[in-house]
Amino acid sequence: MKTIKRIGVLTSGGDAPGMNPVIRAIVRTAVAEGISVIGIKRGYAGLINGDVQELKNADVDGLTLKGGTILYTARCDEFLQPEYREKAAKTCKYLGLDGIIAIGGDGTFKGAVELSKLGVQVVGIPATIDNDMGCTEYTLGFDTACNTILDAIDKLRDTGQSHERVSVVEVMGRHAGHLALYSGIAAGATAVLLPEQDVDFEHDVADVIRRGAIRGRRHHIVVIAEGVGHATDYCRRIEEATGIESRVTVLGYIQRGGVPSARDRATGAQMGVRALDIFKEGDESKAVIVKGGVIDDMPLSDTTDMKRALDQTMFESCNRIDTSWYWDK
Ligand code: ATP
């Protein structure tokens, strides 16, 4: 076992509920084991500028139930340039860090790989509401975001049912439809439109709503991932094609916030502890992942450019559930 004295931790890219519980788990575990934790502010920008603060137990009190990240997060374009990464590596040396824990998505992991090439040991923890990283079955924040979407859809259902409308709900996901699919199937949506799938508007949307209307159903939920196109355009087309009044709701940034769910807290806590163990076990830069439903790790350099494929079985199940029935045959 290697002795480590001081590690740095940063959050980068889009914020995700679960980042704070990870920070808490890291600090609580490290401090108890005599390791000091340096919080780096605003992702890689803080590493370039030396914007840091030691994190003590009192700083992480109550963080299990806080969304966002106390370390702030940022997208740092400077870090794409080698000279700034050199500067970041020098900060690590100057601060006497044994390594860095980088919490974030795909881009954050790419940055982590580049930093590790400069002799800094980096451990990546996957956190993004998109759940689009191919290296892991789960990224922190996804579950909370799905629950936030469901909560919003449940409320839209009340008003949509009262007014007999189609509710078109746009959720985040420019390139990945995991959020839309998971929340769509959970909400019992009439149609779920994803960037990974070609959309046949007549077949996938208009016909299903028309069929339901003939059978007495006057309210529908259509979930659309933002990468599919403008939800307002789809809303207008639905109204024209079906004659049913339709309203669009773009959920936007509320999907990023909120109290982390049990899954995000428990997974985050375990990932934080595993990250510390990786430093103790050796010098290799690694990513903490979920594999086969349990916490695991893999070489950091193997993680980049692995896009997580859409769950086809879930997509097929979603389509097989006939949402057009209102009364039985
Ligand atoms: P999310 O999935 O929520 O968007 P992310 O981690 O993928 O999170 P990005 O904005 O893509 O978010 O990346 C975060 C930061 O990682 C960037 O602002 C940049 O500082 C760094 N980064 C991204 N790609 C690279 C790269 N190829 N080389 C070096 N650094 C990178």
Side-chain angles (χ1 to χ4, degrees), residues 12-14 44 75-76 79-80 85 104-108 110-111 114 128:
S12 156
Y44 294 117
R75 304 197 195 266
C76 172
F79 204 69
L80 301 175
R85 294 200 294 268
D106 211 25
T108 300
K110 281 185 190 148
E114 293 304 321
T128 164

Side-chain angles (χ1 to χ4, degrees), residues 97-108:
L97 300 179
D98 292 299
I100 293 280
I101 298 175
I103 307 164
D106 211 25
T108 300

Side-chain angles (χ1 to χ4, degrees), residues 29-205:
T29 313
V31 170
E33 294 172 7
I35 302 161
S36 60
V37 181
I38 305 299
I40 296 145
K41 293 184 186 166
R42 299 176 189 85
Y44 294 117
L47 214 45
I48 293 168
N49 306 327
D51 193 0
V52 302
Q53 175 203 336
E54 182 166 0
L55 295 175
K56 301 274 181 62
N57 275 323
D59 299 310
V60 297
D61 201 25
L63 279 197
T64 46
L65 42 126
K66 285 221 166 81
T69 161
I70 57 159
L71 291 174
Y72 308 105
T73 183
R75 304 197 195 266
C76 172
D77 288 342
E78 285 178 335
F79 204 69
L80 301 175
Q81 298 170 40
E83 60 267 35
Y84 285 99
R85 294 200 294 268
E86 294 277 359
K87 218 174 156 196
K90 275 188 192 147
T91 307
C92 296
K93 207 166 173 198
Y94 172 77
L95 293 170
L97 300 179
D98 292 299
I100 293 280
I101 298 175
I103 307 164
D106 211 25
T108 300
F109 273 38
K110 281 185 190 148
V113 169
E114 293 304 321
L115 185 61
S116 70
K117 289 179 188 165
L118 300 175
V120 180
Q121 188 182 5
V122 190
V123 172
I125 292 184
T128 164
I129 64 164
D130 293 330
N131 205 18
D132 60 346
M133 297 171 77
C135 60
T136 179
E137 288 163 15
Y138 188 72
T139 64
L140 296 174
F142 178 71
D143 187 60
T144 307
C146 283
N147 283 309
T148 301
I149 294 168
L150 273 185
D151 185 49
I153 291 178
D154 290 345
K155 286 173 177 146
L156 288 169
R157 191 187 295 283
D158 288 345
T159 172
Q161 265 169 352
S162 306
H163 285 271
E164 301 179 284
R165 282 176 183 153
V166 177
S167 301
V168 179
V169 186
E170 184 191 293
V171 305
M172 282 187 169
R174 244 171 279 160
H175 306 290
H178 307 291
L179 262 185
L181 178 57
Y182 205 93
S183 54
I185 192 171
T190 298
V192 180
L193 309 185
L194 312 167
E196 293 92 339
Q197 302 284 336
D198 292 333
V199 178
D200 178 345
F201 178 77
E202 273 301 309
H203 178 268
D204 301 338
V205 187

